[in-house]
Each structure stands twice: as structure tokens, then as C-alpha cells.
Amino acid sequence: MSAVDENGPEHGGDDIVAAEYVLGVLPAEERQAVARRVESEPGFARLVERWEADLSPLAAGYAEVQAPAAVKDKLDRLLFSGAGDTSAANSVSTGGILSSLAFWRGLSLAALAALALFVALPFVNPPADEPQMRLVASLAPQESDVHYFVVYDARTRDVGLSHVTGERAAGRDFELWVIDGQQAPVSLGIIPAGTNVHLAVDDATRGKIESGAVFAISLEPAGGSPTGQPTGPVVAAGDLKTI
Amino acid sequence: MTPQDITKLIVRVSIKDRAAFDLLYRQTNAKLFGVCLRVLNDRAEAEEALQEVFVKIWTKADRFAVSELSPISWLVAIARNHAIDRIRVRRKPAVDIDTALDVADPAPGPEAMAVAGGEAGEINRCLEELEADRSAAVRGAYLKGESYAELAERHGVPLNTMRTWLRRSLMKLRECLEQ
């Protein structure tokens, strides 16, 4: 069943697609396609929101169930581990990262020590038949006020960045790097300006990310590093955790 | 906690106020966990989903400013959408549907009014105008996050028939809601 011929006006058009999306009945691929429309078409997003509002009284049918305390603890670690989770330092194997980063100009020992704190928690490989794996990282400030939140979606091979704090200096850009052990950092590109932005991931980088690489953001000349390797200071870094 | 209080918390979360986030979590986790449990029907998965939902709330709270939904409806929409996204890509459904969790569906009560900001009656009135099995399909899809395929199986009709049914029902609902 194709979404195209089914969605003409005689079938209610966009308004009914919006209703199907809100109701949640669409199969995965169609649902993802509609979700992209919600992001990119304000008119369509309004139709979706109207259905959300119209159907919202049905949510009274959901019983309230207190979540176990462990959920909030884990959530706090996930979101706020940059704020002094010293327990992480004990389970760290940082040699590879330290040596591969050592040449990064402007990266102080203190910043490196801070970076080490983020290389935490053994990475748990999900079963190979779960392509929906998603990973998050809080890229916490490294002697800066630059903080981004990263969500990597294995299914769409998309890195989403949410800007939390910190502005780039005039004429400079933030560049996102993936660092896998001792190997040279691989650039994912310049981080576009904006609150929520996305970067695509190629196959080689995908493997690094999914095997537990670290993300770092460096400050670079406008347009990105001229050398293909980080040239400016690391302003934020963090490791990935499964969600 | 009034909707206005929750609105204030969401706005404070959008400027990364962690105390506000903690309070918002305390006030709303039970409702959003209820959503995740009902849709995913698996406790461990619902716990993971709830975490992801609150990560989204933390990172996307600024979007609430441009939404016209009530604060609880906005939060429930995030949780429902996320849980449904998860279940759609899950390979096989939980085996013991409806028995894994001893969670009864409460009848729409006073809370429905709070959720809808006074318009709770509209959707329920309009659903009553549909044939019983069609309105049950809409409610089931909403609450449990059932797919067209699952609805078709449960109602014993081909997938395309189910889709045509439900689309007609949704069009009737829209007409009724606009009256």
C-alpha cells in the first residue's frame, strides 16, 4: 500500500495522515516519513498538533504508575554526569584516547583529566538484530561553556545535536569529531548553528560510533579544520551511552 | 499541581533549570510511565522508554513555547509518540499482551477535564457517534498504540479494509469535532 496514492483528497488528504500519525497506527517506515514532514512542514505540523489536542482527552485512559526510583537515578547519570560523576573514573581505560588526543593544541592536562571522566561505563553491545539502537552523549564543557547533547540513531544513521549552552566566537566554527581508541579523530563536520541540528553518518564512522567511540567538539576556523584533524581547543566532549 | 504550574516548570526546564526538571519528573513520571507501560506492555522496556522521554523533555522543552497543547497533553504526546516509535520498530510484540501488566484502564474521570482544558466531552461525544467497533478501534489504537496490522488481526478484517474503516472514522471524527 503506497502512501502516495492513498493520501489524495478523497481519502481526507493530509489531515487524515496527521490523524493516523497521532493515533500511531502507521507502520514504522511510513511513520518515520510522516515524522519528517512534521519537522519540515509547519502547516502539516499544525494539523498534527490539532489532532493531538483533539484526541488528548483519551489520555485519561492511562493509569498512573509511579516509576521505580532507579529510573530517575539513571536519567540523572545520563543527563548530568558531567557535573562530577567521580565514580566513572574508576572504570576507565583512557590510554588510547589520551595518546591520540595529546597533540590537540590547546588541550590542557586538566581538560584531558575531565575528558577521562566521561569515558565511563562498559559499552554494552546490543544484539545484532536490533538496528533501532540509539545512543546518547552529553558533550559537557571542557574549560568552556559549550554544552551539547547528542543523540545517535543507528537506524537512520543520524546524529542529532541539541545545543544547550555556549556560543561560537565570531569567525569560528564548532566541529564534531568521533574518536575511536588510538585512531585519529574523524570529523563528522561543522555543527550548523541552531538549537536542534543533524549530521549524517557514513558507514566507516558508523562502526566507530556503534563500538563505543567518544565525541568531542573543537573550536575551528570558519569552515572547519583546514588539516582534517582538530586544530583548535576541545570545548566539549563526552562518551556514548545506550538508551 | 495546576496546568499553569506545569507550564512554569517546562519553561524553567527549557533554560536548563535542573531543580525544575526534578520537580517536573516527580509530578509527571507516573502519568508518562503509565503511557509507556500501556503501549510497550513490558516493564523493562517501559522504564527505558521513560528515561528517553525525559531526555527528550530536557532537550526539547523549548519547543513547548510554540505548542498550543496544554502542558500535560504536550508531555503525554512526547511519551506516546516515543513509545509508539519504539514498538513500531520492535521485531515481535510482547507475547502476553494484557497479562504482563496488571494495569486497569481507568474510566475517563475528572482528570479528562483537566487534560483537555474543558473540551473532554467533544472527542468522547464524537466517538459515540461512530459504530461501536470503529470507536473501539480508535480508542484501542490511541491507548495501546496498536498498528493497522494489529487492529486488522484483532477485528478479523484485511489490512486494507481496516485502513479504509479507520480513515473513514477519522474523517467523521473531524467533521463532528468541527461542528
Side-chain angles (χ1 to χ4, degrees):
Chain A
M1 190 185 311
S2 121
V4 178
D5 19 291
E6 294 277 327
N7 294 344
E10 72 275 19
H11 292 283
D14 278 356
D15 192 45
I16 293 308
V17 177
E20 289 178 305
Y21 175 73
V22 171
L23 212 48
V25 287
L26 297 172
E29 277 175 22
E30 252 182 273
R31 182 167 169 79
Q32 284 154 18
V34 176
R36 284 193 288 275
R37 289 191 64 194
V38 176
E39 292 295 317
S40 60
E41 298 175 31
F44 185 70
R46 276 193 293 279
L47 294 176
V48 167
E49 184 156 288
R50 184 166 65 152
W51 277 106
E52 288 282 11
D54 287 339
L55 295 176
S56 64
L58 299 179
Y62 289 115
E64 296 202 11
V65 185
Q66 200 68 32
V71 173
K72 182 61 164 62
D73 294 343
K74 226 167 150 184
L75 182 65
D76 285 345
R77 281 202 301 278
L78 194 66
L79 286 175
F80 309 117
S81 62
D85 180 5
T86 48
S87 65
N90 299 328
S91 59
V92 166
S93 156
T94 53
I97 292 155
L98 285 172
S99 55
S100 73
L101 293 188
F103 68 95
W104 288 32
R105 210 165 58 211
L107 186 60
S108 71
L109 281 176
L112 276 174
L115 173 63
L117 288 179
F118 292 96
V119 188
L121 304 177
F123 183 83
V124 181
N125 268 320
D129 63 351
E130 283 190 6
Q132 68 269 34
M133 177 175 68
R134 300 178 84 206
L135 301 166
V136 297
S138 173
L139 302 195
Q142 308 288 317
E143 299 198 327
S144 73
D145 62 346
V146 179
H147 190 179
Y148 273 89
F149 204 88
V150 175
V151 177
Y152 167 71
D153 188 330
R155 193 168 31 76
T156 55
R157 299 189 193 182
D158 169 81
V159 168
L161 289 132
S162 295
H163 182 237
V164 184
T165 56
E167 298 305 323
R168 60 199 78 194
R172 308 293 290 279
D173 268 322
F174 290 146
E175 190 157 354
L176 182 66
W177 305 88
V178 173
I179 307 155
D180 180 17
Q182 311 237 7
Q183 297 172 38
V186 175
S187 175
L188 279 178
I190 301 297
I191 301 174
T195 310
N196 290 294
V197 297
H198 294 268
L199 293 171
V201 174
D202 62 31
D203 274 341
T205 316
R206 179 187 174 209
K208 290 179 191 290
I209 293 174
E210 292 178 13
S211 62
V214 170
F215 278 124
I217 296 172
S218 69
L219 189 62
E220 299 292 339
S225 162
T227 67
Q229 285 295 296
T231 63
V234 172
V235 291
D239 72 325
L240 290 155
K241 299 175 172 78
T242 44
I243 59 170
Chain B
M1 188 155 262
T2 68
Q4 288 74 21
D5 292 333
I6 296 178
T7 295
K8 281 183 202 156
L9 287 179
I10 296 174
V11 170
R12 281 170 57 198
V13 167
S14 75
I15 54 169
K16 307 302 168 194
D17 179 334
R18 195 174 155 185
F21 181 72
D22 289 346
L23 192 52
L24 183 68
Y25 181 90
R26 275 209 298 282
Q27 295 292 338
T28 60
N29 83 79
K31 186 69 185 179
L32 304 191
F33 191 45
V35 172
C36 295
L37 275 173
R38 194 79 183 89
V39 172
L40 293 165
N41 205 35
D42 176 288
R43 200 159 181 107
E45 205 180 350
E47 288 177 14
E48 271 179 38
L50 184 69
Q51 262 171 41
E52 292 160 7
V53 164
F54 274 95
V55 165
K56 282 192 174 169
I57 292 168
W58 174 252
T59 53
K60 294 184 175 175
D62 55 329
R63 293 196 182 189
F64 175 65
V66 294
S67 168
E68 287 173 14
L69 295 174
S70 79
I72 282 289
S73 297
W74 185 76
L75 295 168
V76 166
I78 292 177
R80 263 191 84 247
N81 277 320
H82 188 71
I84 291 170
D85 283 343
R86 268 190 91 119
I87 202 169
R88 279 296 158 275
V89 296
R90 187 158 79 183
R91 291 170 69 87
K92 45 180 188 275
V95 189
D96 45 351
I97 298 282
D98 279 334
T99 57
L101 298 158
D102 193 10
V103 177
D105 290 336
E111 191 199 1
M113 300 302 288
V115 167
E119 298 194 357
E122 286 305 295
I123 185 67
N124 286 308
R125 179 178 64 78
C126 290
L127 278 170
E128 276 167 26
E129 288 185 7
L130 300 178
E131 290 164 53
D133 56 349
R134 318 255 160 132
S135 83
V138 173
R139 284 180 196 276
Y142 184 89
L143 283 176
K144 299 185 217 164
E146 288 175 316
S147 64
Y148 271 133
E150 288 162 332
L151 287 167
E153 195 179 327
R154 191 154 62 77
H155 289 262
V157 295
L159 186 67
N160 285 350
T161 307
M162 191 67 230
R163 191 161 190 168
T164 306
W165 267 24
L166 199 71
R167 287 182 153 219
R168 285 202 192 118
S169 301
L170 290 167
M171 284 157 85
K172 279 188 190 161
L173 277 180
R174 173 49 72 219
E175 279 171 30
C176 172
L177 288 164
E178 280 178 351
Q179 276 167 20

